[in-house]
């Protein structure tokens, strides 16, 4: 294969982006006809209804302007229900990190135990298999009802959805540590605790990190939906509030930011994963 | 609390303690002070009652000596509600138990008094620091209220009844001291149905209402049934949160909805639907949304509850006046509250609106604000719950209505804020020309050919 230039991929990316935005721009261009109703009536209805415009989809320029507006002033506070998009993102990230950290605290030690003991693994497996596929949002009404606090309920939903990938991956990573290494440790009469920390943990770390990466991705997916359900604060609430206003421009800006934050979270964990990987 | 005299040698002004020196800190002092004040008030009430019962003091003393104070108190309490009198007296005088409150609302114009009281300063006028919290849906309002995250909330008027009798949730005594709005809903249909104005043509339609326990649901069902359609068999009625209604109408997912405003007007504004009829044409003066609080809040924090209710009633009185409606629309339209274009909210509140078919309609009664919770409203709602099978068995209509709709409180506080309150909590009315007699609810249900019981 011919080696390609370092710049080829970025240039292609920019090209794709340009084509995408161009198509978007021309396909949403309004066929703004003349106002077809009497002026008094037209004053009472939106431009959409007055001119009989077909597309309700905003173009890239509208979205860009809106996005700039949000980025320029991300932390404004105009009352309980109207805070800047930066503040909303911080609320959401906070919830995700708390739920995720709690899940890690439970899942990694538990996964370790399950991975090391085939008996416990078999005993707990049915529970894990039943609980794992439950949509985290299905827990929401139950959480609201029993915990009686919407903030903690949202964190709980993040906790429960982050739990399974970490648990399963940790157990798998621990269980599939190469038998040779364990045998060597046994011949050298290393204590079980030391085996766990100095042999199994480093060996399983890449798998554990993969589990954490999957978890944080799912958690970020779920928080938006959870906040749309409970309202209050967070980027999910922001989307819901703008849907209430049928403001597609705001929704698209929020979607872009959600994507960027998700990418950031993933990159951070990927960096961490690289740090614990080793070459055999 | 009076200020301590700094020249009094027994008064401590520094180093913790309280101003009189008998309590550990000022908070405890204030508490004791409030308790003393309450005791004094109680004595005052008792004294007044005794004076009224025994105009001559010698008689009173003879009576007390012959039966003993305890028996006398019990005997008098049995004929005169002494406890209640004390409570009523204390309620109007005592200090606020809690000033920082959280009140939930759904972003619709029905919540106008609850919302506007915030930007226009009615809560602070009564010494309250209220946070009005926008909520995503009716079920969430219910759950957050049950979880005590909200001290009081905007609810649909059937909800306090449903919560109290345990329909759709656990039975918990709930109250509704004020109606938020009367009228103010509409049936909106998708543009493609603009030639189908006769409900008889609506067989197979898919409709949306905001919640199962809502006036919207009962009014739509009533309207359809009066036109010979069975709302459970001939059409589909789904519960859809108001903001999603317009989006669903645009996506051709539903054919129409009976919804609170500004959703109807928003559908017109976006050119996706037209207003078929206003809910006032089904029942003029029907209640819709409510200001609701738990029975616990009402009894545990009587002063806070009254201050809050007064703020709402005061705001409602202001919202009643047509000349204030434009100002209110501008105050509640921003993102923090309704998050809608001002012109949409203004059309709803002023009643001069585009109907979506090219006409400008002028109907100043499109929405109105009359807070009095008539008990007959509650009875009507209960008959519809039973009619459509949401509740079964015997219902103690009059009793539930009296327990939940706090007409007495509303009347007293309405007078205090300068409104005119009706004297009779039961009012007869008719729905689509059919009179409703609140004293014969079962017969009313029986009179409908289309029903689930």
């Amino acid at each position: 294969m011919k080696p390609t230039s370092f710049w080829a991929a970025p240039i292609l990316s920019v090209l794709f982006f340009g084509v995408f935005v161009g198509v978007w721009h021309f396909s949403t261009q309004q066929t703004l006809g003349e106002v077809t109703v009497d002026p008094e009536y037209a004053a009472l209805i939106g431009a959409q209804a007055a001119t009989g415009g077909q597309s309700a989809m905003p173009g890239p320029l509208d979205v860009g302007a809106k996005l700039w507006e949000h980025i320029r002033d991300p932390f404004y506070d105009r009352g309980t229900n109207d805070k800047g998009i930066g503040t909303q993102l911080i609320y959401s990230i906070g919830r995700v990190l708390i739920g995720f950290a709690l899940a890690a605290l439970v899942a990694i030690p538990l996964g370790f135990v399950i991975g090391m003991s085939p008996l416990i693994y078999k005993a707990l497996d049915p529970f894990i298999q039943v609980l794992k596929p439950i949509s985290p949002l299905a827990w929401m009404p139950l959480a609201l009802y029993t915990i009686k606090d919407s903030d903690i309920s949202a964190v709980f939903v993040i906790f429960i959805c982050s739990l399974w990938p970490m648990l399963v991956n940790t157990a798998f990573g621990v269980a599939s540590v190469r038998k040779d290494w364990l045998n060597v440790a046994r011949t050298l009469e290393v204590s079980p605790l030391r085996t766990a920390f100095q042999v199994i943990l480093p060996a399983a770390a890449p798998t554990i990190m993969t589990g954490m990466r999957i978890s944080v991705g799912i958690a970020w997916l779920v928080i938006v939906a959870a906040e749309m359900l409970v309202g209050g604060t967070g980027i999910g609430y922001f989307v819901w509030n703008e849907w209430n206003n049928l403001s597609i421009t705001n929704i698209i800006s929020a979607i872009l930011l959600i994507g960027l934050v998700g990418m950031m979270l993933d990159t951070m964990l990927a960096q961490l994963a690289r740090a614990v990987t080793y070459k055999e | 609390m009076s200020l301590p005299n700094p020249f009094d040698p027994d008064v401590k002004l520094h180093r913790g303690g309280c101003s009189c020196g008998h309590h550990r800190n000022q908070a405890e002092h204030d508490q004791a002070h409030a308790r003393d004040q309450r005791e004094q008030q109680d004595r005052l009430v008792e004294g007044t009652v005794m004076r009224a019962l025994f105009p001559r003091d010698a008689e009173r003393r003879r009576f007390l000596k012959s039966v003993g104070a305890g028996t006398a108190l019990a005997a008098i309490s049995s004929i005169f509600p002494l406890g209640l009198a004390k409570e009523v007296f204390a309620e109007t005088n005592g200090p606020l138990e809690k000033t920082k409150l959280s009140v939930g609302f759904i972003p619709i114009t029905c919540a106008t008094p609850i919302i506007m009281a915030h930007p226009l300063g009615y809560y602070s006028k009564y010494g309250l620091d209220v946070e009005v919290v926008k909520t995503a849906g009716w079920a969430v309002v219910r759950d957050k209220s049950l979880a005590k995250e909200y001290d009081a909330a905007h609810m649909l008027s059937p909800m306090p009844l449903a919560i109290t009798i345990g329909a759709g949730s656990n039975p918990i005594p709930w109250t509704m001291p004020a109606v938020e709005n009367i009228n103010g809903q509409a049936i909106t249909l998708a543009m493609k149905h603009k030639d189908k104005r006769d409900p008889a043509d609506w067989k197979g339609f898919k409709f949306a209402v905001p919640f199962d326990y809502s006036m919207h649901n009962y009014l739509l069902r009533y309207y359809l049934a009066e036109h010979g359609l069975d709302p459970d068999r001939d059409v589909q009625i789904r519960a859809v949160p108001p903001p999603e209604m317009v989006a669903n109408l645009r996506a051709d997912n539903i054919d129409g909805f009976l919804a609170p405003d500004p959703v109807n007007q928003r559908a017109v504004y976006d050119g996706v639907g037209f207003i078929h009829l206003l809910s006032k044409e089904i029942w003029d003066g029907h209640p819709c949304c409510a200001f609701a609080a738990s029975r616990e809040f009402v009894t545990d924090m009587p002063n806070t509850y009254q201050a809050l209710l007064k703020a709402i009633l005061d705001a409602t009185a202001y919202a009643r006046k047509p000349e204030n409606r434009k100002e209110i629309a501008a105050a509640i339209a921003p993102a923090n509250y309704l998050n809608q274009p001002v012109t949409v909210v203004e059309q709803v509140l002023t009643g001069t609106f585009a109907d979506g078919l090219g006409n400008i309609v002028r109907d100043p009664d499109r929405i109105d604000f009359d807070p009095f919770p008539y008990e007959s409203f509650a009875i009507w709602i209960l008959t519809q719950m039973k009619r459509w099978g949401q509740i079964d068995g015997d219902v103690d209509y009059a009793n539930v209505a009296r327990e939940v709709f706090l007409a007495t409180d509303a009347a007293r506080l309405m007078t205090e804020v300068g409104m005119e309150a009706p004297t009779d909590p039961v009012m007869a009315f008719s729905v689509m020309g059919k009179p409703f007699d609140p004293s014969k609810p079962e017969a009313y249900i029986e009179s409908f050919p289309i029903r689930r019981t």
Side-chain angles (χ1 to χ4, degrees), chain B residues 287-444:
Chain B
C288 175
C289 286
F291 169 69
S294 66
R295 167 71 64 183
E296 194 188 329
F297 176 69
V298 173
T299 44
D300 283 6
M301 302 190 193
N303 304 328
T304 309
Y305 150 72
Q306 302 222 5
L308 185 59
L309 186 50
K310 263 193 193 171
I312 300 278
L313 292 173
D314 210 354
T316 311
Y318 191 76
R320 255 217 120 152
K321 301 198 179 82
E323 66 268 24
N324 300 333
R325 298 276 176 88
K326 278 198 175 180
E327 179 200 350
I328 295 170
I332 66 174
N336 195 26
Y337 307 112
L338 293 185
N339 199 15
Q340 292 284 345
V342 180
T343 168
V344 170
V345 182
E346 201 176 282
Q347 288 180 63
V348 174
L349 292 184
T350 60
T352 299
F353 62 94
D355 68 351
L357 297 169
N359 312 307
I360 295 174
V361 183
R362 286 183 178 81
D363 192 339
D365 292 334
R366 176 175 182 176
I367 186 168
D368 202 353
F369 304 94
D370 181 357
F372 191 72
Y374 287 100
E375 284 164 17
S376 39
F377 288 172
I379 299 175
W380 187 86
I381 292 167
L382 290 168
T383 62
Q384 298 304 304
M385 285 181 172
K386 189 155 181 194
R387 176 183 180 186
W388 301 117
Q390 287 182 334
I391 49 175
D392 47 17
D394 286 333
V395 183
D396 190 351
Y397 295 94
N399 226 353
V400 174
R402 199 170 315 119
E403 300 258 296
V404 177
F405 281 38
L406 302 181
T408 327
D409 281 11
R412 182 162 51 84
L413 296 179
M414 276 169 82
T415 325
E416 276 184 38
V417 300
M419 291 180 97
E420 218 172 292
T423 45
D424 190 358
V426 177
M427 179 183 68
F429 51 82
S430 36
V431 183
M432 288 180 81
K434 185 183 167 97
F436 169 60
D437 179 356
S439 62
K440 299 190 184 73
E442 290 292 340
Y444 183 68

Side-chain angles (χ1 to χ4, degrees), chain B residues 63-78:
Chain B
F63 172 66
L64 285 179
K65 269 186 197 147
S66 61
V67 301
T71 320
L73 181 64
I76 290 164
S77 298
S78 70

Side-chain angles (χ1 to χ4, degrees), chain B residues 86-387:
Chain B
K86 284 182 198 167
E87 219 167 83
V88 168
F89 188 77
E91 274 172 5
T92 43
N93 289 289
L96 297 175
E97 297 88 353
K98 185 178 177 189
T99 51
K100 247 186 115 48
L101 300 176
S102 172
V103 174
F105 74 95
I106 299 277
I108 51 179
T109 44
C110 300
T112 298
I114 289 181
I115 304 173
M116 66 177 266
H118 189 250
L120 300 184
Y122 283 90
Y123 293 126
S124 45
K125 182 175 164 189
Y126 290 92
L128 296 168
D129 175 13
V130 174
E131 190 184 26
V132 287
V133 187
K134 200 187 290 189
T135 315
W138 292 111
V140 181
V141 162
R142 180 195 60 203
D143 292 345
K144 284 193 171 187
S145 298
L146 294 181
K148 294 183 189 156
E149 264 185 65
Y150 295 152
D151 297 287
H154 166 207
M155 283 190 182
L156 294 154
S157 49
M159 286 169 67
L161 293 165
I163 295 173
T164 304
I165 58 179
S169 60
N170 276 354
I172 294 170
W174 221 258
T175 68
M176 191 187 116
V179 171
E180 278 305 303
N181 71 304
I182 57 171
N183 299 338
Q185 336 299 318
I187 298 181
T188 297
L189 295 180
M191 272 314 203
K192 64 173 183 188
H193 296 308
K194 67 173 178 243
D195 300 322
K196 289 192 191 159
R197 299 299 294 272
D198 182 2
D201 301 337
W202 292 357
K203 244 183 187 171
F205 270 30
K206 281 175 262 175
F207 284 103
V209 293
F211 198 57
D212 285 341
Y213 302 95
S214 67
M215 285 305 290
H216 312 90
N217 191 15
Y218 306 139
L219 288 176
L220 180 62
R221 283 168 172 271
Y222 193 104
Y223 180 76
L224 293 170
E226 288 297 291
H227 285 94
L229 291 174
D230 187 318
D232 287 314
R233 298 192 179 118
D234 297 332
V235 299
Q236 216 187 79
I237 299 179
R238 315 174 181 166
V240 175
E244 291 166 38
M245 287 180 176
V246 179
N248 270 307
L249 200 64
R250 187 199 292 280
D252 212 5
N253 233 355
I254 49 175
D255 297 283
F257 49 73
L258 198 158
D261 270 311
V263 175
N264 304 290
Q265 203 56 51
R266 187 63 202 251
V268 172
Y269 182 83
D270 282 11
V272 299
F274 67 92
I275 295 177
H276 167 71
L277 107 165
L278 298 179
S279 60
K280 65 172 277 243
E281 290 163 54
I282 300 174
W283 167 5
D284 194 7
H286 71 80
C288 175
C289 286
F291 169 69
S294 66
R295 167 71 64 183
E296 194 188 329
F297 176 69
V298 173
T299 44
D300 283 6
M301 302 190 193
N303 304 328
T304 309
Y305 150 72
Q306 302 222 5
L308 185 59
L309 186 50
K310 263 193 193 171
I312 300 278
L313 292 173
D314 210 354
T316 311
Y318 191 76
R320 255 217 120 152
K321 301 198 179 82
E323 66 268 24
N324 300 333
R325 298 276 176 88
K326 278 198 175 180
E327 179 200 350
I328 295 170
I332 66 174
N336 195 26
Y337 307 112
L338 293 185
N339 199 15
Q340 292 284 345
V342 180
T343 168
V344 170
V345 182
E346 201 176 282
Q347 288 180 63
V348 174
L349 292 184
T350 60
T352 299
F353 62 94
D355 68 351
L357 297 169
N359 312 307
I360 295 174
V361 183
R362 286 183 178 81
D363 192 339
D365 292 334
R366 176 175 182 176
I367 186 168
D368 202 353
F369 304 94
D370 181 357
F372 191 72
Y374 287 100
E375 284 164 17
S376 39
F377 288 172
I379 299 175
W380 187 86
I381 292 167
L382 290 168
T383 62
Q384 298 304 304
M385 285 181 172
K386 189 155 181 194
R387 176 183 180 186

Side-chain angles (χ1 to χ4, degrees), chain B residues 11-31:
Chain B
V11 163
K12 273 203 280 180
L13 290 175
H14 301 289
R15 291 186 308 279
C18 73
S19 50
C20 75
H22 295 302
H23 304 97
R24 255 186 304 149
N25 52 42
Q26 191 61 31
E28 231 169 76
H29 170 94
D30 289 347
Q31 236 171 21

Side-chain angles (χ1 to χ4, degrees), chain A residues 27-240:
Chain A
S27 62
T28 54
Q29 241 188 351
Q30 296 274 353
T31 43
L32 280 183
E34 286 294 297
V35 173
T36 50
V37 287
D38 88 292
E40 200 192 348
Y41 187 80
L44 296 179
I45 53 180
Q48 208 68 38
T51 55
Q54 286 306 302
S55 172
M57 202 62 189
L61 295 177
D62 305 321
V63 174
K66 204 57 171 183
L67 204 56
W68 175 238
E69 209 177 284
H70 284 306
I71 293 169
R72 215 177 34 189
D73 186 12
F75 300 111
Y76 70 82
D77 186 348
R78 291 188 210 116
T80 320
N81 309 307
D82 188 13
K83 295 189 195 321
I85 205 162
T87 318
Q88 308 283 22
L89 280 169
I90 287 172
Y91 271 109
S92 299
I93 295 173
R95 285 194 187 113
V96 164
L97 291 185
I98 294 173
F100 178 74
L102 289 175
L105 278 180
V106 174
I108 294 173
L110 192 64
F112 232 87
V113 173
I114 294 175
M116 285 175 40
S117 152
L119 176 69
I120 299 182
Y121 182 87
K122 279 201 186 116
L124 286 181
D125 194 50
F127 298 102
I128 296 175
Q129 294 311 326
V130 170
L131 291 171
K132 199 175 63 171
I134 298 173
S135 161
L137 287 176
W139 293 102
M140 198 75 204
L142 195 65
L144 270 177
Y145 192 81
T146 47
I147 302 176
K148 300 195 177 217
D149 182 299
S150 51
D151 262 327
I152 301 178
S153 301
V155 170
F156 170 77
V157 167
I158 296 306
F159 166 81
I160 203 90
C161 77
S162 316
L163 195 65
W164 310 116
M166 278 197 266
L167 186 69
V168 173
N169 268 283
T170 308
F172 172 74
V174 169
S176 51
V177 172
R178 276 169 49 185
K179 292 287 166 290
D180 313 352
W181 299 348
L182 292 177
N183 288 339
V184 170
R186 206 170 300 140
T187 0
L188 294 174
E189 290 186 356
V190 179
S191 76
L193 207 64
R194 210 169 149 208
T195 318
F197 278 100
Q198 296 201 326
V199 180
I200 301 178
L201 187 61
T207 330
I208 297 176
M209 285 312 299
T210 313
M212 289 175 85
R213 238 176 112 177
I214 298 172
S215 280
V216 91
I218 295 178
W220 188 244
L221 287 181
V222 167
I223 192 69
V224 176
E227 286 169 346
M228 281 179 95
L229 266 178
V230 281
T233 46
I235 191 70
Y237 165 78
F238 178 86
V239 173
W240 175 81

Side-chain angles (χ1 to χ4, degrees), chain B residues 25-83:
Chain B
N25 52 42
Q26 191 61 31
E28 231 169 76
H29 170 94
D30 289 347
Q31 236 171 21
H33 193 74
R35 212 163 38 231
D36 288 351
Q37 215 173 23
R38 179 75 199 256
E39 264 165 32
Q40 252 174 11
Q41 281 172 4
D42 288 356
R43 282 274 173 268
L44 197 67
V45 173
E46 286 164 5
T48 315
V49 171
M50 289 302 271
R51 259 202 306 282
L53 284 174
F54 303 97
R56 268 173 299 181
D57 210 34
E59 260 177 45
R60 179 185 62 93
R61 272 178 286 172
R62 208 175 318 128
F63 172 66
L64 285 179
K65 269 186 197 147
S66 61
V67 301
T71 320
L73 181 64
I76 290 164
S77 298
S78 70
I79 53 161
F80 185 84
L82 209 51

